[in-house]
Amino acid sequence: MAFGEQPAYLRVADDLRRKILDGTLPPHARLPSQARIRTEYGVSDTVALEARKVLMAEGFVEGRSGSGTYVRERPRPRRIVRSGYRPAGPSTPYRQEQADEGCKGSWESRSVQEGASLDVAERLRIEPGERVMRTHYVFRTEGEPTLLSTSWEPLALTGRTPVLLPEEGPLGGQGVVARMAAIDLVVDHMAEEVGARPGLAAETAALGGVPGHVVIEIRRTYFASGRPVETADVVIPADKYRAVYHLPVR
């Protein structure tokens, strides 16, 4: 095989990836051994090994201890709809994160008070160390972990109010917009920053994935008259879901 300008290991990885995508190497099939790759493509052991590493890093294959390297089953990504702060149905933390009315789900949460980190303080426009309520969520759709969310609310706004705890009290579990409205803060704007990164071990364990696999990270902040009232980090497994945005055109 002629390799041209591209490094040989990338050419080998490209050809193997093509075979995976077109079904020549179906899910759960064993990837050709290092010796077979070396012979079939006329490359060194080092090139064959690096090609396999590329496919593993991309999530196309996985190693099984004592058995070899196999093609991973790649699920068809499902949608997580992001539509802003005005849910069409009942206001809940689940609907706040998944606006697709056809999806039904549940959530688990845990809240603790802590001092704001530098990053959280910057996002909430408060001083580092100021007290915030941190709430960690695990969201499930049809019993399957869908996404994680960690939110922070400044206690300068919610302390000594009925909405101090996001999931307890008379407005517990009704979402940020409804809870803030109860203390005369009208949420009128939401901003999200979307990025991607390798998933942390604790995150991927909670989401049923593999440490290091890519996750979508959404940094969301709700505003009332320009003042941040809540900020959150939302983590979604990128190989299972796509974040879909429905935004009004003005």
Side-chain angles (χ1 to χ4, degrees):
M1 177 179 290
F3 287 104
E5 296 295 326
Q6 192 176 31
Y9 76 95
L10 291 181
R11 282 296 188 95
V12 173
D14 285 349
D15 193 61
L16 291 170
R17 187 189 307 107
R18 177 188 59 77
K19 291 179 179 178
I20 292 171
L21 292 173
D22 70 14
T24 303
L25 288 171
H28 309 295
R30 186 171 182 174
L31 195 71
S33 67
Q34 189 167 312
R36 182 176 169 186
I37 291 174
R38 182 188 64 218
T39 301
E40 183 174 340
Y41 292 93
V43 296
S44 67
D45 281 334
T46 299
V47 168
L49 178 61
E50 290 302 313
R52 290 156 64 93
K53 286 182 178 179
V54 168
L55 295 175
M56 191 169 292
E58 293 174 344
F60 284 97
V61 301
E62 60 186 357
R64 299 179 187 174
S65 180
S67 179
T69 304
Y70 293 80
V71 177
R72 289 184 65 222
E73 185 168 2
R74 298 175 63 81
R76 181 178 179 180
R78 292 189 283 178
R79 308 186 324 155
I80 293 180
V81 179
R82 316 289 297 174
S83 66
Y85 59 89
R86 299 185 187 278
S91 179
T92 68
Y94 181 82
R95 196 55 62 211
Q96 180 176 278
E97 306 298 351
Q98 168 60 284
D100 185 346
E101 293 291 333
C103 292
K104 308 299 179 184
S106 60
W107 67 94
E108 305 160 12
S109 67
R110 182 172 63 89
S111 296
V112 296
Q113 295 187 29
E114 65 181 18
S117 67
L118 289 172
D119 177 60
V120 169
E122 181 178 358
R123 289 157 63 176
L124 290 175
R125 299 178 192 166
I126 61 178
E127 292 298 318
E130 281 194 38
R131 303 300 290 175
V132 294
M133 184 67 73
R134 173 173 59 84
T135 304
H136 178 69
Y137 292 89
V138 178
F139 292 89
R140 302 178 188 276
T141 300
E142 298 178 358
E144 177 183 315
T146 306
L147 60 87
L148 307 176
S149 175
T150 303
S151 73
W152 296 268
E153 296 177 352
L155 292 181
L157 296 180
T158 61
R160 300 180 183 277
T161 74
V163 300
L164 170 65
L165 291 167
E167 298 301 311
E168 296 181 25
L171 282 91
Q174 294 195 26
V176 173
V177 177
R179 291 175 48 252
M180 294 300 163
I183 56 173
D184 298 322
L185 293 170
V186 179
V187 173
D188 54 18
H189 177 63
M190 183 199 73
E192 291 194 344
E193 299 178 11
V194 182
R197 59 171 174 78
L200 304 179
E203 293 170 338
T204 51
L207 292 168
V210 177
H213 282 186
V214 174
V215 297
I216 301 168
E217 181 181 57
I218 300 174
R219 292 188 162 199
R220 181 199 64 223
T221 304
Y222 283 113
F223 298 86
S225 299
R227 181 176 186 175
V229 298
E230 186 256 19
T231 193
D233 288 343
V234 179
V235 176
I236 304 170
D239 61 338
K240 297 180 181 178
Y241 295 93
R242 295 288 182 268
V244 179
Y245 285 81
H246 291 271
L247 304 174
V249 177
R250 297 182 179 179

